[in-house]
Amino acid sequence: MEEEEADLQTCDAFKTEKKAQRLSLHLLVTRHLPPEATSSWDQEKILTALCEITHVRLDRENISHIDSLELLSYKVTNVYLQQNRITRISNLDCLKNLQFLTLAGNLLQKVENLSKLSKLLFLDLSDNRIAQFDIDEFPQSLILLNLSGNPCTQMADYRGCIIQDLHNLQQLDNVDVTREEREEAGYPVSSEEDSDETEEEPRRRMMREHEVDVPLQSLTSEVLMRSQTRLEESLADHRRHNMELDNIKLKYKLPPSARSAPHNT
């Protein structure tokens, strides 16, 4: 009986699950243009406005197929398609100036149709179902690549193979490519006497050479980690300060603050 009820609950959950959809003109308009665009703008005005978009944000929309991006212009540099239900990488060739692409948390099993994106610098394919890949499908322009959370990361010499073939790569799976890894891959590395640069300086130089915009730099894992660390430290200081105040009030028998006073029900 309990198993039958569980099966019915699973069936109901499946029926109420949001239906997968294609990346469509309607979706582009509703996510990127003002509300009145869908009711009062004519088609020409809509298309003109879409051609001004530089950052496409379509995360968590239950998208299963990538389509309609040809309606956008050469101005698009960043595309966010994480946490959808996309099964294939397709129809991105039209975005000739794409620099930043995230497809994290989808249903991808294969790396494909990316090699022609010659300006792509940041690629996040983490948390998919990619078991193996053809290294030639990755653009040589990549500086940061994230494949963490995929079965392919368990391949023999996975990291070495990627670093050897992607000459510009500075970071793989949120871990910087080290001097030793570059030497093992056969790259010429300057002597320590000639190299006074910090680990961060080569990445900055590479980004300047490729004219990476500020949003790309701000989304590297180091910046995110530092921001999270600062937030945690601030919260810890706040809690410590509150505890000190509470101890003083207890010591001098002062009434408790509204923060710690019990609520009346």
Side-chain angles (χ1 to χ4, degrees):
M1 186 65 180
E2 292 180 356
E3 291 181 357
E4 290 178 358
E5 291 178 355
D7 289 341
L8 287 173
Q9 291 176 355
T10 302
C11 184
D12 290 340
F14 178 79
K15 289 179 180 178
T16 57
E17 184 181 1
K18 186 178 178 182
K19 184 179 179 181
Q21 61 180 329
R22 298 183 75 90
L23 198 168
S24 62
L25 171 61
H26 177 75
L27 194 54
L28 286 169
V29 171
T30 54
R31 281 291 298 261
H32 298 89
L33 300 184
E36 59 268 22
T38 57
S39 59
S40 59
W41 288 17
D42 59 33
Q43 187 175 11
E44 183 177 356
K45 186 174 182 179
I46 289 175
L47 294 177
T48 300
L50 288 177
C51 286
E52 295 302 313
I53 294 173
T54 60
H55 290 54
V56 178
R57 301 182 184 277
L58 291 169
D59 54 290
R60 298 171 177 82
E61 288 288 353
N62 229 37
I63 296 169
S64 59
H65 295 86
I66 303 173
D67 208 349
S68 301
L69 294 179
E70 68 277 2
L71 299 171
L72 306 176
S73 75
Y74 66 91
K75 294 182 181 180
V76 174
T77 58
N78 294 44
V79 172
Y80 304 82
L81 287 167
Q82 69 271 25
Q83 304 304 322
N84 281 292
R85 296 171 63 184
I86 298 168
T87 56
R88 285 198 63 202
I89 304 172
S90 59
N91 300 317
L92 293 170
D93 291 355
C94 56
L95 305 179
K96 301 298 183 183
N97 291 314
L98 189 61
Q99 297 180 353
F100 181 108
L101 173 62
T102 174
L103 285 159
N106 278 280
L107 304 175
L108 301 173
Q109 298 185 40
K110 185 178 180 182
V111 179
E112 57 187 334
N113 301 316
L114 293 174
S115 59
K116 293 182 180 179
L117 299 175
S118 60
K119 296 187 179 181
L120 189 63
L121 303 174
F122 183 109
L123 177 61
D124 187 355
L125 298 176
S126 59
D127 299 321
N128 277 279
R129 302 176 179 180
I130 302 168
Q132 55 185 353
F133 54 82
D134 179 353
I135 194 67
D136 293 333
E137 290 293 336
F138 293 106
Q140 284 293 322
S141 53
L142 285 178
I143 293 176
L144 294 98
L145 172 63
N146 192 352
L147 287 166
S148 60
N150 283 284
C152 64
T153 59
Q154 305 303 314
M155 294 167 53
D157 197 26
Y158 151 79
R159 191 172 172 89
C161 290
I162 292 179
I163 294 171
Q164 183 176 17
D165 285 291
L166 297 180
H167 299 174
N168 291 319
L169 202 64
Q170 296 289 312
Q171 187 184 97
L172 176 59
D173 299 346
N174 299 317
V175 178
D176 285 348
V177 176
T178 65
R179 177 189 180 91
E180 290 75 16
E181 287 176 320
R182 298 185 67 82
E183 287 178 336
E184 289 177 6
Y187 298 144
V189 180
S190 58
S191 63
E192 293 183 1
E193 302 84 56
D194 296 331
S195 178
D196 295 324
E197 294 180 322
T198 65
E199 289 185 0
E200 194 66 22
E201 287 170 342
R203 183 178 294 114
R204 292 200 197 102
R205 187 180 67 250
M206 183 73 71
M207 288 181 172
R208 287 196 301 270
E209 291 173 356
H210 288 277
E211 301 179 351
V212 183
D213 59 7
V214 172
L216 174 61
Q217 297 180 53
S218 67
L219 281 168
T220 59
S221 61
E222 293 95 332
V223 174
L224 293 174
M225 291 174 65
R226 285 198 295 270
S227 177
Q228 180 66 24
T229 300
R230 286 196 297 270
L231 177 60
E232 291 173 354
E233 290 174 349
S234 297
L235 289 173
D237 289 340
H238 179 67
R239 294 192 194 100
R240 193 160 45 246
H241 178 66
N242 285 340
M243 289 178 64
E244 291 172 356
L245 288 177
D246 289 342
N247 289 335
I248 291 172
K249 289 177 180 179
L250 288 172
K251 181 177 180 180
Y252 294 100
K253 300 181 179 179
L254 297 174
S257 64
R259 169 182 54 79
S260 57
H263 296 287
N264 293 324
T265 57

